[in-house]
Amino acid sequence: MKSETKLAGKDALQASAQTRYAEKEVPGFGRIRMRSISTSAYARIEGMLSRAAVALSDPNREDGVRMLVDAKIAFIAETLVDENNEKWLNGEESQQLRNLDSAVFSAIEDACNRHCGIQGIDVEARAKNSSETTGDDSR
């Protein structure tokens, strides 16, 4: 006898749209509180990463590096919240993340990626694909 599995419907859509929260201790920084991000926020950040990848395929990679850091900062700023579940880094404040020790920055980014269920994004592979697509053979 075949088991009947109920298909996901509107209830599942509403339930999965709920924001999830988690906390994590980051060595060298302290305890952080994270929230899951919406598909729209993720798509905006994904677009920033894609533009950075294209810029990284250029022989003058400085713009690409800046754009990559900007995208990572935007993601972290979108994810981190305070004890009231409110974003605590605005655009100007989030730029202070540029001054963090790279190991601390990486640990925060990793925690945010894990909480949001996002795999690490291989921007170098995107840059390579971008140069192949555009016919750039300067690399």
Side-chain angles (χ1 to χ4, degrees):
M1 177 180 228
K2 189 175 181 182
S3 171
E4 292 292 323
T5 302
K6 184 177 177 186
L7 294 175
K10 290 180 184 179
D11 293 342
L13 184 61
Q14 285 183 320
S16 66
Q18 299 299 315
T19 303
R20 296 175 291 102
Y21 298 92
E23 295 183 7
K24 177 157 178 62
E25 189 70 31
V26 176
F29 189 75
R31 191 156 197 79
I32 60 172
R33 184 163 176 80
M34 302 162 288
R35 69 175 180 181
S36 55
I37 61 173
S38 69
T39 302
S40 297
Y42 177 68
R44 180 178 57 82
I45 293 162
E46 181 81 3
M48 293 173 73
L49 287 167
S50 293
R51 287 187 293 280
V54 170
L56 282 169
S57 68
D58 189 282
N60 177 5
R61 298 167 54 109
E62 288 181 34
D63 285 342
V65 171
R66 180 188 49 76
M67 293 168 72
L68 175 60
V69 172
D70 287 347
K72 290 180 174 208
I73 287 172
F75 171 63
I76 291 171
E78 188 70 31
T79 306
L80 294 181
V81 295
D82 63 17
E83 62 275 356
N84 298 315
N85 297 328
E86 300 292 328
K87 283 175 48 174
W88 59 272
L89 290 172
N90 65 32
E92 196 172 297
E93 292 169 329
S94 67
Q95 294 307 307
Q96 294 175 17
L97 293 171
R98 291 180 183 280
N99 300 322
L100 284 179
D101 175 87
S102 61
V104 172
F105 185 93
S106 181
I108 293 170
E109 181 186 20
D110 183 56
C112 293
N113 280 333
R114 287 177 189 267
H115 178 66
C116 292
I118 298 170
Q119 298 288 328
I121 297 168
D122 188 349
V123 175
E124 288 293 328
R126 286 183 187 200
K128 182 177 183 289
N129 289 340
S130 173
S131 66
E132 290 171 359
T133 302
T134 60
D136 179 7
D137 57 0
S138 63
R139 291 183 60 152

